[in-house]
C-alpha cells in the first residue's frame, strides 16, 4: 500500500475578504506514519490559537478498509507558527514536526477554549450512549480524558463538535444513529 494523498488548503483569517495562496499538507513524507498499513489521510481541520497566532492542523490517518471504520485510525497534528506569511515556496512556512495525538478517529478537530485549553470529542465507534471528552493543557501534545458526553437516545456518535458558549458552558453537537443531530451540554 502507498498513502500518496495530501490535503490542499486555502484559508482566510478575515472572514473571507482575502485568501492565502494555495498550499499542500504533505503527509506522505512523514516517516512516523506506517504507510504499509495507513493509506488514507482525511478530515483536515485548521484552528488558529488566538493567544499565539499559531495555526494548528489536525488530520486522520487510516487504513483503507472498504468503508468500514478501522480501530487503528490515528489523528495527527502539526503547527504552522507563521500562518500569515506570504506563501511563495514550501520553505516559507514554519511547519513543526507532525505528532500522533493518540486519540483515534477525530473528524471535526478540536476547539480552543477561552482559557487556552484544547477540548476534543473523538468519534465513537462502539455501541454506547456515552462518548469520551479529552482536554489538552499543552497545546495538543498530550490529552487527558476528563469526562463524557451522554446522549441516552443515541448509541453511536459521528462528527462531534464542541462549542464554548458565552457563559463558559460547553455545547456538543453530534450526528447519531437516531438520524438527527443530537446535543449534550455542560453546565458552569
Amino acid at each position: 500500500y502507498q498513502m500518496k494523498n495530501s490535503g490542499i488548503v486555502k484559508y482566510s483569517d478575515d472572514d473571507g475578504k482575502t485568501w492565502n495562496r494555495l498550499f499542500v499538507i504533505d503527509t506522505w513524507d512523514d516517516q512516523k506514519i506506517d504507510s504499509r498499513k495507513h493509506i488514507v489521510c482525511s478530515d483536515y481541520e485548521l484552528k488558529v490559537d488566538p493567544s499565539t497566532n499559531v495555526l494548528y492542523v489536525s488530520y486522520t490517518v487510516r487504513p483503507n478498509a472498504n468503508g468500514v471504520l478501522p480501530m487503528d485510525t490515528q489523528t495527527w497534528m502539526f503547527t504552522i507558527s507563521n500562518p500569515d506569511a506570504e506563501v511563495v515556496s514550501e520553505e516559507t512556512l514554519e511547519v513543526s514536526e507532525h505528532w500522533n495525538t493518540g486519540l483515534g478517529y477525530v473528524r471535526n478537530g478540536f476547539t480552543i477554549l477561552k482559557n487556552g485549553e484544547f477540548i476534543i470529542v473523538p468519534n465513537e465507534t462502539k455501541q454506547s450512549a456515552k462518548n469520551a471528552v479529552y482536554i489538552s493543557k499543552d497545546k495538543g501534545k498530550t490529552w487527558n480524558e476528563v469526562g463524557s458526553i451522554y446522549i441516552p437516545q443515541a448509541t453511536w456518535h459521528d462528527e462531534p463538535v464542541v462549542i464554548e458558549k458565552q457563559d463558559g458552558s460547553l455545547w456538543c453537537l453530534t450526528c447519531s444513529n437516531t438520524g438527527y443531530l443530537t446535543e449534550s451540554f455542560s453546565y458552569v
Side-chain angles (χ1 to χ4, degrees):
Y1 293 114
Q2 292 185 345
M3 182 180 56
K4 297 182 179 179
N5 74 305
S6 300
I8 300 173
V9 177
K10 191 167 190 158
Y11 70 92
S12 170
D13 59 6
D14 60 6
D15 295 323
K17 293 180 186 127
T18 61
W19 293 84
N20 78 323
R21 291 183 54 177
L22 196 70
F23 70 94
V24 174
I25 299 172
D26 185 6
T27 55
W28 172 244
D29 289 333
D30 195 323
Q31 299 303 311
K32 295 177 188 169
I33 298 174
D34 184 352
S35 61
R36 292 166 299 164
K37 295 190 325 190
H38 298 88
I39 61 169
V40 177
C41 289
S42 62
D43 299 303
Y44 296 91
E45 292 288 331
L46 289 76
K47 304 279 169 79
V48 174
D49 184 340
S51 67
T52 62
N53 198 42
V54 171
L55 178 66
Y56 286 81
V57 181
S58 65
Y59 60 95
T60 60
V61 180
R62 61 187 170 86
N64 184 3
N66 299 323
V68 177
L69 180 64
M71 297 310 292
D72 60 348
T73 296
Q74 304 169 0
T75 295
W76 288 69
M77 291 178 75
F78 67 92
T79 62
I80 299 175
S81 60
N82 62 338
D84 293 324
E86 183 179 346
V87 180
V88 292
S89 72
E90 230 178 82
E91 292 75 31
T92 304
L93 296 174
E94 296 170 9
V95 180
S96 73
E97 291 288 320
H98 296 225
W99 71 88
N100 188 341
T101 65
L103 291 176
Y105 194 36
V106 176
R107 295 197 57 194
N108 276 336
F110 58 95
T111 299
I112 301 173
L113 301 175
K114 292 175 194 166
N115 67 5
E117 295 177 345
F118 294 1
I119 188 168
I120 201 164
V121 181
N123 276 36
E124 184 56 71
T125 57
K126 55 184 184 277
Q127 297 291 313
S128 174
K130 289 186 178 183
N131 202 20
V133 176
Y134 295 86
I135 291 279
S136 175
K137 296 183 180 198
D138 58 4
K139 307 291 187 186
K141 294 289 183 189
T142 60
W143 296 86
N144 294 304
E145 187 174 344
V146 295
S148 62
I149 60 169
Y150 177 62
I151 303 172
Q153 69 273 25
T155 57
W156 61 260
H157 308 94
D158 190 23
E159 301 181 1
V161 63
V162 176
I163 299 157
E164 185 173 21
K165 296 172 62 175
Q166 292 292 341
D167 65 3
S169 64
L170 302 175
W171 178 30
C172 181
L173 296 168
T174 182
C175 299
S176 73
N177 64 309
T178 64
Y180 300 100
L181 190 62
T182 54
E183 60 188 354
S184 183
F185 296 91
S186 74
Y187 298 95
V188 188

